[in-house]
Amino acid sequence: MRKRLIAALAALSTTASFVVTAVAATVITAAPAQALENGLARTPPMGFNNWNTTHCRAEFNEKMVMDMADIFVSRGLKDVGYQYVNIDDCWAKTQRNAQGNLEPDPVRFPRGIKFVADYVHSKGLKFGIYTSAGTKTCNTAGFPGGLNNEQRDANLFASWGVDYLKYDNCNNQGVDAKQRYTKMRDALAATGRPIVYSICEWGQNKPWEWAQNVGNLWRTTGDINDTYSKMVDIFKRNLPLAQYAKPGAWNDPDMLEVGNGGMTPTEYRSHFSLWAIMAAPLLIGSDLRKVSQENFTTLLNKDVIDVDQDRLGIQGKQISLSGNNYVISKPLSNGDYAVALFNNNSSTQTISTTASAIGIGQSSAYNLKDLWSKSTRTTTGAISASVPAHGTVMYRVSKGVRTPPAAGTHQVSDLSWDTASNGWGPVEKDRSNGERPAGDGKTLTINGTTYTKGLGVHAASEVSVYLGRACSAFSASVGIDDEVAGSNGTVVFQVFADGTKIADSGTMTGAMAAKQLSGSLANAEQLRLVVTNGGDTINYDHADWANPTITCG
C-alpha cells in the first residue's frame, strides 16, 4: 500500500507538486502506527458541510458553496485552520449517464462540480464531495451510490479535483462494511490524488476497531441534530473511544451544529469545546451567511481550535464524572494539558479537579488560561470553576514557577499577576478601563487628580499577585475614574492578604475624591485586589487603583 501510494503521488501534476512532496515525505517518515498510510488528516479535518443547514432543500446550490468559500477567506475562518468546503447528498442527477458516470444536478450546479471545485481551490481551500457505499445514497430521491462503481466514481472525483470524500452507508445491500469501505479506499489510492477518506458508517460495525487503516476518520454514531440533548448523547458515545484516535485516524462524532439556532450560545460553546477536546473533525454545519456574531466568535476561537488541532493527536479522556459534571483531560504536544469542565446540569455547578488528576506531572505551580474568557491565573494544583448550566469551562494548563517579588517597593501594574478578571474588557495597566480592547483607556484620573501608575478596572473585578511571604505592606489611592461623568458609578474597593480583608473603601461614587487604602501583607502568600459593584448594577463602574504599591523584603 505504501509503495503504491508514493508512486501514484509522484505522478501528480506540477501544480500540486508541493502537496505531493509533503504527503510523500509524511508517509515515508511516519511511525508504524495502525493508520491509513496516505499522509493526510494528520490533525482532524476542519471545514464546512451543508447538510445540517440545508438537507436536500433548494438553497443547497452552486452559489451557496461558493459563498461559503468566500466567507472562509473574508471572515478569518481560513486563517484559523478551516480548510475543506464539502458538499453532501443531493448534488447529483438521479441516474448515471450513458457512460455510467455520475452527473451533477444542472439546476443546483449549472456549471458543473469541477467549476465549483476550481473556485474553492482558487481561494486556497479544498473541496469535498459525498456518495454512499450502497446502490443509492440516503435521500429518498434515490441518487446513485458507489457500490460496485468504486473505481469509476473515484476516478471521476479525482478528475474534478476532489480533496475529501464522505462515504455514507445507505442501501448497502447487506455487503460487509469492511469490504465496501476497503474497496473505495483502494480506488481512491489508485487515482493518485490525495483524498481524505471519511467513513460514514454510523458506528454500526464498530469501525473504531478496524477502520484505522481504511479511512482517515469514521463516524462513531448516528446523525447529530440541532438539539442539546442529541449533542450530549453523541458526546457520551464518542468520549469512551479515545484509545482509537491518532494522527491520520479520527473518531468522528458528526458535524457541528453551531449557529443553526436550536441551542443557546452557551450550549454551542460546550458543543465546540467538547468536540475540540475529543480531537474531533470540526466541520461547520450552519449557513455562515446567517450565523450570529456571537456564534461566529465561537467558531473562530483559536485557543480552542489549537486544542483540537494539536499535532500530538491524542483524544481527550474522561478523568471524572460526578453528578453529571464531567472533567476531560487532553495532553498537548508542548507538554501542556487541556482540561474541560462540562456541566450537564440545569443549574450552575462548581466543578473541580487537580493538576495531578489530569496527568500533567509535578510542578511547584501551574498556569491556567481560560480559553473562553482569556483570563489567566496560577495555582499550586487545584483546578476549579463555577460553570453555568449546560456550559463548559476549558483551561490550558502549563507548568510554571512562581517567584516572589524582589526586595523593595513595587508598583502592582509592573508585576506579573496570578489572575486578572474584569466586568468589561481587560484590566488595564497605567490606563483607565475603556471597556473594549486593551489600551483604549485614558490617563488615570480621580476627582481631577491624575496618576501615571495604576490599574484601570471595571466591576466586578479581581487582580491577584503572588507574594510568597516576602512582602510587608500595601497602599493605594482608589476611586471612580473621571471618564464617568458626575456621580455615576457605585463601587467598593477591597484588599485581601490571602483570605483576610486588610482594607475596605466602603461605597464610593463618581462624585467622591480618592481614598487612601493600606494594610499589612506580613506572611501573606497572595495579594487580592477586589472591586464589587456596590450592591447595584455594574453600569459606569470604572474603578481606578492609583499607585497601588507593595513593599517587600
Side-chain angles (χ1 to χ4, degrees):
M1 174 68 182
R2 181 178 299 195
K3 290 181 179 178
R4 183 177 69 219
L5 176 63
I6 294 172
L9 289 171
L12 281 172
S13 67
T14 55
T15 58
S17 63
F18 71 99
V19 177
V20 177
T21 302
V23 173
T26 304
V27 173
I28 292 168
T29 60
Q34 281 202 351
L36 177 60
E37 296 292 352
N38 63 2
L40 303 176
R42 306 308 294 175
T43 60
M46 294 177 62
F48 164 84
N49 180 292
N50 66 279
W51 185 255
N52 288 354
T53 188
T54 69
H55 293 269
C56 205
R57 295 189 300 273
E59 62 260 37
F60 168 46
N61 56 28
E62 173 187 286
K63 183 180 186 306
M64 179 192 191
V65 179
M66 295 167 68
D67 283 351
M68 295 306 104
D70 291 343
I71 292 171
F72 267 38
V73 176
S74 66
R75 298 289 298 275
L77 290 160
K78 176 184 174 183
D79 293 338
V80 297
Y82 293 94
Q83 186 177 29
Y84 293 93
V85 179
N86 298 344
I87 63 175
D88 212 281
D89 203 355
C90 307
W91 62 266
K93 290 183 176 180
T94 56
Q95 299 292 328
R96 292 177 180 269
N97 66 17
Q99 292 73 43
N101 288 323
L102 300 168
E103 287 190 335
D105 182 323
V107 175
R108 295 186 193 271
F109 296 97
R111 290 178 283 190
I113 298 299
K114 188 177 188 307
F115 173 85
V116 177
D118 288 348
Y119 186 86
V120 170
H121 292 152
S122 76
K123 301 293 180 178
L125 302 168
K126 295 185 178 180
F127 177 77
I129 206 165
Y130 163 99
T131 188
S132 180
T135 53
K136 295 181 179 180
T137 68
C138 295
N139 188 265
T140 55
F143 303 102
L147 188 66
N148 299 321
N149 285 278
E150 290 86 357
Q151 195 62 62
R152 176 189 299 276
D153 290 351
N155 291 345
L156 183 64
F157 297 154
S159 74
W160 286 344
V162 166
D163 305 294
Y164 184 113
L165 173 64
K166 175 183 174 182
Y167 204 37
D168 216 335
N169 193 36
C170 290
N171 301 297
N172 59 50
Q173 309 306 312
V175 179
D176 177 73
K178 297 179 189 178
Q179 176 183 328
R180 289 182 289 119
Y181 286 99
T182 300
K183 192 171 182 181
M184 181 56 86
R185 175 202 67 184
D186 294 342
L188 293 173
T191 69
R193 182 174 180 83
I195 299 175
V196 170
Y197 185 27
S198 170
I199 293 175
C200 185
E201 185 264 357
W202 319 327
Q204 286 192 335
N205 294 278
K206 297 183 178 180
W208 48 89
E209 294 182 351
W210 53 266
Q212 288 92 342
N213 64 349
V214 179
N216 295 112
L217 56 153
W218 50 85
R219 281 276 296 280
T220 56
T221 70
D223 289 357
I224 196 170
N225 63 42
D226 190 22
T227 63
Y228 176 78
S229 60
K230 174 57 74 171
M231 182 273 288
V232 172
D233 175 66
I234 286 180
F235 155 73
K236 290 179 179 179
R237 293 172 183 270
N238 193 75
L239 183 62
L241 304 177
Q243 64 177 305
Y244 300 104
K246 53 180 66 73
W250 308 103
N251 293 311
D252 178 10
D254 206 3
M255 298 169 288
L256 296 169
E257 293 282 1
V258 177
N260 276 326
M263 292 183 244
T264 68
T266 295
E267 291 166 346
Y268 280 140
R269 284 190 290 272
S270 284
H271 182 11
F272 199 71
S273 299
L274 297 173
W275 263 232
I277 206 161
M278 292 191 299
L282 299 179
L283 294 173
I284 298 167
S286 53
D287 186 339
L288 293 167
R289 299 169 297 189
K290 304 175 182 178
V291 172
S292 71
Q293 182 56 53
E294 185 171 14
N295 287 324
F296 215 103
T297 299
T298 293
L299 294 170
L300 286 169
N301 190 323
K302 186 64 164 58
D303 287 325
V304 176
I305 289 169
D306 285 347
V307 171
D308 178 80
Q309 293 291 293
D310 186 78
R311 61 183 176 83
L312 194 61
I314 294 177
Q315 178 175 323
K317 296 180 181 178
Q318 179 179 304
I319 300 302
S320 65
L321 171 59
S322 176
N324 247 355
N325 294 324
Y326 290 80
V327 177
I328 306 159
S329 173
K330 172 180 166 66
L332 305 175
S333 56
N334 70 341
D336 292 354
Y337 273 62
V339 59
L341 310 178
F342 170 46
N343 174 13
N344 187 28
N345 290 281
S346 57
S347 61
T348 298
Q349 304 282 312
T350 296
I351 305 178
S352 302
T353 186
T354 65
S356 175
I358 69 171
I360 193 172
Q362 291 297 314
S363 178
S364 60
Y366 303 89
N367 304 312
L368 303 182
K369 180 178 182 180
D370 187 318
L371 303 189
W372 288 106
S373 75
K374 310 304 181 185
S375 66
T376 60
R377 63 185 174 94
T378 61
T379 176
T380 56
I383 300 171
S384 185
S386 176
V387 186
H390 296 179
T392 300
V393 170
M394 196 169 184
Y395 290 118
R396 189 175 185 120
V397 186
S398 59
K399 293 181 179 179
V401 178
R402 294 192 296 181
T403 58
T409 300
H410 304 275
Q411 289 282 346
V412 173
S413 63
D414 293 335
L415 299 173
S416 297
W417 310 327
D418 278 2
T419 63
S421 60
N422 223 32
W424 282 100
V427 174
E428 297 284 4
K429 293 186 177 185
D430 306 327
R431 305 286 287 175
S432 66
N433 175 260
E435 295 192 1
R436 291 181 177 85
D440 66 342
K442 302 174 182 178
T443 300
L444 295 162
T445 308
I446 304 173
N447 204 244
T449 302
T450 61
Y451 303 85
T452 58
K453 302 295 292 183
L455 307 177
V457 304
H458 193 298
S461 172
E462 179 172 336
V463 176
S464 63
V465 179
Y466 177 67
L467 303 177
R469 303 179 186 273
C471 303
S472 58
F474 170 84
S475 67
S477 297
V478 300
I480 291 180
D481 196 276
D482 282 3
E483 66 191 2
V484 179
S487 60
N488 287 326
T490 306
V491 302
V492 176
F493 295 82
Q494 298 174 330
V495 183
F496 294 83
D498 294 331
T500 301
K501 186 193 294 184
I502 62 172
D504 190 311
S505 69
T507 301
M508 298 190 70
T509 70
M512 299 171 65
K515 284 188 178 181
Q516 187 70 22
L517 299 182
S518 61
S520 172
L521 298 176
N523 211 37
E525 286 283 342
Q526 189 178 63
L527 166 69
R528 293 170 52 228
L529 304 180
V530 175
V531 177
T532 73
N533 65 3
D536 55 10
T537 70
I538 66 171
N539 295 341
Y540 304 106
D541 286 351
H542 295 223
D544 293 347
W545 294 92
N547 289 331
T549 59
I550 57 174
T551 302
C552 304

